[in-house]
Amino acid sequence: MRWYRAVAMDLDGTLTLGGWPSEAVLGAVDGLRADGVRTLLVTGRILADLDVEFPGLADRFDLVVGENGGVLRSSGWTRPLADPVDPNLLERLHDAGVRARRGEVLLACDGSADHLALDAIESLGLDVQLVRNRAALMLIPSGVTKGTGMREGLAELGVSPHNTLAVGDAENDHSMLTAAGLGVAVANAVAGLRDHADLVLAESDGAGVSALLTGPVLTGQRPVRTLRRRIVLGTGVDQQPAVLPAAQTNLMVTGASESGKSYLAGLVVEQLAALGYVLLVIDPEGDHVSLGALRGVTVLAGNQLPDPAEVPTLYGQGLSCLILDLSSLHRPGREDYLRRMWPAVAAYRAETALPHWIVLEEAQNLGWCHHAGLDTPDLGEWGLCLVSYQPDRIAAPVLDRMRWRVELSPGGHSAILTPPDGPPMPITIGRRTTPHVRHWHKYVDSPLPDHERFAFHTAPGGPAPVAANLREFLTLLPDLPDEVITFHARRHDFSRWLAGVYRDHVLASLIATCEQDLVAHGDPRRTRRLLAELVTVRYLPPERTTAAVTRASPIRTGEE
């Protein structure tokens, strides 16, 4: 699976130090396009100047981002990406003796005029930024950068910034390298950019770029895993963050039952979603529905589940993080759903590199993990997170890919993190943004064994209502007499039931506070209301009861 689907390149100082770029580097650009990799020329030049000095060069690329992110051009059309700088600024510069040229959006002049340009901007009260490109100076509307222009170009091409490599040499290339999944500086780049880059080439300008475009980094044979975008699992014994790369890697999460595996997986998903990665989470037990509260995360369950073969089309419609809650399906139904889904997901991933990550909960029960490589679709080399308490049931070829491993300790607060190239290290697990409710669907709707059900107290000879699960508990609660609520609260029956049967000690502690409240204030109606609210918020938040779908930001936005 090719990770980099687009390459963004600066022109002056990167492809060439002057004159026409070499046939070697342009031939490498042609080779990328023939191989399906999209190419962008991202330059600070005014496009009219580019056409005069480099006639026909723009046609060697899929898109040109000109004027330092201010203008986008493709075959047959040009589109400004910002309003032009106030024309009064050009007049003011001319009055000050500064030779400046107007583009569609920016003004360009010599860098030595920076103090005069700043005085003119301040005198006019304009929101204009000064951007340096070595000896040149550009006056551009604030917020317009090579990075913003590159993102617009990638959106036109349907490529995620995370799957983009950007290469440059000068100060104005910082934003482009930051926005890309991998930022590369040529050997002749300014010192600040070399320090900022994820990778510095051994050669200068076109020679370095030519070697890069035909070398092992782009093909994935030599992955460059940067921690600029990283997943923080927690802290080590030295109180430093315990991290792993967010791209081009795999993660195995193991541990005994109830050790916090799903909690940790949710922590990973939260961070990947915040970084703008595209995700698919297979959730057989409904462990991750609370993540639907996050912006850009969509949870689909029950009759909302799409046709398995149509799952990839949801990403084309703008979803970025999709959680498929399969808890309403029996195990044969889940396996059949996934069996029909995998070929479509594998084909889409091979074509687009999306989703960036596939998270598989209860991996030991999933057929693909048992039989990967044996007449099963290839889901790709990277971006797999497997969660299992029985990793020995997973096929050896799959386990071999899991270069990063986390084994949770009992209690879920600590773990052993094993990196691919270092010794195991103890870590303390970090805190999540969203609450974690284990197997909520099963807890809410699945009937408990007779001896674990909640039998409400009644007068002798009267019917004894019995709640077989939490949903029935909530249904019976409003009609119970006040004295029944008082009876159970004084005995702490509610909190003991939740702690003993559901092992939900967080909710049990809150309920115990409500029971103490009744003892203190003697108001069973207040206790009844608090009971219902706490159980509902914990297990039936709005996104589950209303089946609301949170639409993700389009893939075009990438990392915010």
Side-chain angles (χ1 to χ4, degrees):
M1 180 179 77
R2 181 187 282 274
W3 178 262
Y4 295 110
R5 303 305 175 101
V7 179
M9 292 159 272
D10 171 54
L11 175 58
D12 296 290
T14 301
L15 292 183
T16 176
L17 284 179
W20 193 265
S22 71
E23 282 304 314
V25 72
L26 290 181
V29 172
D30 293 342
L32 285 183
R33 297 184 70 183
D35 202 25
V37 179
R38 313 311 292 269
T39 60
L40 299 88
L41 181 64
V42 186
T43 177
R45 282 179 175 263
I46 295 169
L47 291 183
D49 295 345
L50 177 70
D51 293 337
V52 170
E53 294 189 43
F54 299 93
L57 180 62
D59 297 333
R60 304 291 288 265
F61 296 83
D62 290 294
L63 277 176
V64 176
V65 180
E67 299 196 17
N68 213 68
V71 181
L72 190 62
R73 178 198 280 181
S74 183
S75 177
W77 58 266
T78 300
R79 185 174 78 238
L81 300 177
D83 292 332
V85 169
D86 190 319
N88 291 320
L89 181 58
L90 179 61
E91 182 178 346
R92 190 65 60 92
L93 290 173
H94 285 167
D95 291 344
V98 177
R99 296 181 60 186
R101 303 185 313 284
R102 169 173 289 284
E104 292 189 47
V105 172
L106 61 68
L107 299 179
C109 61
D110 189 87
S112 60
D114 54 357
H115 62 291
L116 295 174
L118 184 59
D119 289 344
I121 291 169
E122 291 180 346
S123 67
L124 292 170
L126 301 178
D127 189 16
V128 173
Q129 60 184 341
L130 275 62
V131 178
R132 284 194 172 276
N133 180 9
R134 295 188 183 262
L137 184 68
M138 292 169 285
L139 284 61
I140 312 174
S142 291
V144 176
T145 67
K146 280 192 173 184
T148 61
M150 185 190 75
R151 286 179 178 276
E152 289 291 334
L154 291 172
E156 289 288 339
L157 298 173
V159 179
S160 167
H162 292 293
N163 298 111
T164 300
L165 181 152
V167 56
D169 77 294
E171 300 92 335
N172 61 329
D173 293 319
H174 273 273
S175 62
M176 181 172 70
L177 269 59
T178 298
L182 187 71
V184 181
V186 288
N188 57 295
V190 297
L193 194 71
R194 293 198 306 270
D195 293 340
H196 175 72
D198 301 311
L199 175 67
V200 178
L201 301 179
E203 298 181 87
S204 297
D205 56 90
V209 176
S210 177
L212 173 70
L213 300 187
T214 57
V217 172
L218 267 176
T219 61
Q221 295 171 300
R222 180 196 159 196
V224 179
R225 296 183 176 93
T226 170
L227 289 179
R228 181 160 53 89
R229 291 183 181 84
R230 61 186 188 170
I231 302 166
V232 181
L233 299 177
T235 55
V237 292
D238 57 359
Q239 299 306 306
Q240 294 301 306
V243 301
L244 69 152
Q248 290 182 274
T249 191
N250 295 316
L251 173 65
M252 182 83 209
V253 179
T254 64
S257 181
E258 300 182 42
S259 61
K261 298 182 299 299
S262 295
Y263 181 95
L264 180 61
L267 177 66
V268 170
V269 170
E270 284 182 347
Q271 294 180 63
L272 290 172
L275 289 170
Y277 286 94
V278 178
L279 310 173
L280 172 62
V281 181
I282 304 302
D283 188 8
E285 298 286 358
D287 286 331
H288 295 298
V289 292
S290 61
L291 294 170
L294 297 174
R295 183 175 68 88
V297 177
T298 297
V299 179
L300 297 180
N303 59 11
Q304 288 183 317
L305 289 172
D307 181 278
E310 298 300 316
V311 168
T313 65
L314 299 177
Y315 295 109
Q317 296 169 16
L319 296 190
S320 58
C321 180
L322 174 61
I323 298 176
L324 295 179
D325 173 12
L326 306 182
S327 59
S328 63
L329 304 177
H330 296 296
R331 183 173 293 182
R334 295 176 201 166
E335 198 53 52
D336 179 66
Y337 187 93
L338 295 175
R339 179 183 57 79
R340 292 186 289 142
M341 184 190 73
W342 290 135
V345 171
Y348 189 74
R349 218 175 185 214
E351 179 184 355
T352 66
L354 304 177
H356 296 118
W357 280 84
I358 299 176
V359 180
L360 301 177
E361 278 278 356
E362 304 288 345
Q364 74 281 349
N365 295 328
L366 302 182
W368 184 86
C369 294
H370 293 305
H371 310 296
L374 303 174
D375 299 323
T376 57
D378 182 7
L379 295 182
E381 183 179 353
W382 303 300
L384 294 173
C385 176
L386 271 55
V387 185
S388 175
Y389 75 101
Q390 291 180 316
D392 56 313
R393 292 177 55 192
I394 296 173
V398 178
L399 286 178
D400 290 343
R401 300 188 203 178
M402 302 295 113
R403 303 298 306 283
W404 290 81
R405 302 196 180 196
V406 179
E407 183 173 359
L408 276 296
S409 304
H413 301 297
S414 60
I416 299 297
L417 170 63
T418 304
D421 53 1
M425 53 188 293
I427 65 171
T428 300
I429 301 301
R431 294 176 64 91
R432 282 177 45 167
T433 301
T434 55
H436 175 242
V437 182
R438 191 170 173 271
H439 301 346
W440 78 270
H441 181 87
K442 178 169 66 178
Y443 286 178
V444 170
D445 294 314
S446 297
L448 294 165
D450 289 345
H451 68 282
E452 292 186 344
R453 301 180 181 191
F454 194 97
F456 289 98
H457 174 73
T458 59
V466 177
N469 52 41
L470 282 173
R471 196 179 297 279
E472 289 188 13
F473 180 84
L474 289 172
T475 300
L476 293 169
L477 203 58
D479 298 324
L480 293 172
D482 290 349
E483 55 267 25
V484 173
I485 299 295
T486 300
F487 175 84
H488 289 296
R490 289 184 180 278
R491 289 160 44 98
H492 301 284
D493 290 339
F494 299 125
S495 57
R496 285 191 291 110
W497 182 58
L498 287 161
V501 174
Y502 286 106
R503 299 189 294 278
D504 190 340
H505 299 285
V506 173
L507 181 58
S509 176
L510 295 172
I511 296 298
T513 302
C514 295
E515 293 167 333
Q516 291 288 353
D517 181 80
L518 184 141
V519 172
H521 297 97
D523 187 351
R525 289 172 295 178
R526 171 184 166 91
T527 301
R528 186 200 322 272
R529 176 176 57 80
L530 290 173
L531 277 170
E533 288 179 356
L534 286 169
V535 174
T536 298
V537 167
R538 180 75 165 160
Y539 287 97
L540 292 169
E543 66 268 15
R544 298 179 197 151
T545 57
T546 64
V549 176
T550 304
R551 283 292 173 188
S553 302
I555 292 173
R556 52 170 282 158
T557 60
E559 178 191 343
E560 297 297 335

